[in-house]
Amino acid sequence: DADAALVLWVASGTQVLNYCMGVAMGAPGFLPNLCPGITASVLVHLVSKGAQISSFELDTVRQLANTLRGLNATPSRSLMKELAQGRANPEDKMSKFVAVLLRMENLAHDGRRADDGEDVDGNCISPKSVEGAQVLVLTEWLADLVQAQYGKRGAENDAVFEADVREFVAQNCLAVESQAETDACSALHTLELEDEAALNALTDHWEEKLITSLAGSNPVFAKFSAIA
């Protein structure tokens, strides 16, 4: 709806959305970024369901994403600057990452500058910087899933995590059957040989023995795959 999109764009630029949402929630005062914050939080909550998300919830995710893309304001210019420069602060919440990432995607798509006529470097947000930001956000999301599954770092949790990683990606998955017992000190690995047939065999082995088994072998990987 073009008219509704225009109303949303104007209201977000004048902070009307934040004020109206604050009043509706009974907030005692003005809360900046309330609208994009809540919208992004709900989006992240639904997407985190992964493969278990329903068709209704998936449609809601699309609407929430379109809402965030249609805002006439950047929720956090400091975070946008970090992402554009290839850095991400793990202390930031995932909802904040998602809100800023969608804002960056919208700016790159339209070829526009960020708020007040300029972005973090005085240039338009580029598709290349958005791609880098997407990788950073997914990396932080994976880190969140790992911490949720194994807890904070400590001797006991680290031991469990290391054992799962060793089981998750076994070393023999990186070699073809005929070279599983090859002495690394006296022979070259398949990856070191300029042999197309050998590399194709390695690729087939990887897809058959590893990728197929990973999807359901580890809860973190399965959930992250669905989210990504």
Side-chain angles (χ1 to χ4, degrees):
D1 188 331
D3 292 336
L6 178 60
V7 171
L8 175 70
W9 184 79
V10 173
S12 65
T14 58
Q15 300 294 334
V16 171
L17 286 182
N18 292 327
Y19 178 75
C20 291
M21 184 169 288
V23 172
M25 295 176 59
F30 175 75
L31 299 175
N33 291 326
L34 184 62
C35 177
I38 291 179
T39 304
S41 295
V42 176
L43 188 152
V44 169
H45 172 73
L46 293 176
V47 172
S48 295
K49 291 188 174 184
Q52 297 179 346
I53 191 171
S54 67
S55 58
F56 173 79
E57 291 170 332
L58 186 59
D59 185 60
T60 301
V61 166
R62 294 191 184 99
Q63 295 182 41
L64 294 172
N66 286 332
T67 297
L68 289 171
R69 289 193 179 100
L71 297 178
N72 183 28
T74 301
S76 175
R77 291 176 58 80
S78 60
L79 178 55
M80 178 184 286
K81 182 176 182 179
E82 289 182 349
L83 292 177
Q85 293 177 345
R87 295 181 288 108
N89 184 357
E91 297 296 327
D92 286 323
K93 293 185 178 298
M94 188 49 57
S95 57
K96 188 176 180 181
F97 277 121
V98 170
V100 172
L101 177 60
L102 290 174
R103 173 65 172 166
M104 292 179 67
E105 291 178 351
N106 193 40
L107 291 172
H109 179 268
D110 294 342
R112 295 188 288 115
R113 298 173 184 268
D115 308 331
D116 302 324
E118 60 183 34
D119 71 352
V120 295
D121 296 313
N123 302 309
C124 294
I125 297 295
S126 68
K128 184 176 182 180
S129 66
V130 172
E131 291 178 2
Q134 290 171 340
V135 173
L136 288 171
V137 171
L138 285 174
T139 300
E140 290 300 322
W141 207 325
L142 177 58
D144 283 355
L145 293 175
V146 169
Q147 184 168 355
Q149 177 73 19
Y150 297 98
K152 293 184 178 181
R153 295 201 61 178
E156 183 176 349
N157 290 341
D158 287 354
V160 175
F161 174 73
E162 182 179 352
D164 281 358
V165 169
R166 288 181 180 276
E167 181 180 359
F168 183 49
V169 184
Q171 291 182 1
N172 59 12
C173 288
L174 300 179
V176 293
E177 299 289 348
S178 61
Q179 288 197 350
E181 302 300 328
T182 299
D183 184 359
C185 295
S186 59
L188 294 176
H189 187 274
T190 306
L191 294 175
E192 299 175 287
L193 300 173
E194 295 183 4
D195 187 335
E196 184 175 354
L199 291 176
N200 289 336
L202 176 61
T203 301
D204 293 339
H205 177 79
W206 176 275
E207 293 178 349
E208 179 183 357
K209 299 291 185 177
L210 183 61
I211 301 301
T212 303
S213 63
L214 290 185
S217 64
N218 185 281
V220 173
F221 182 86
K223 191 168 186 178
F224 177 72
S225 298
I227 289 174

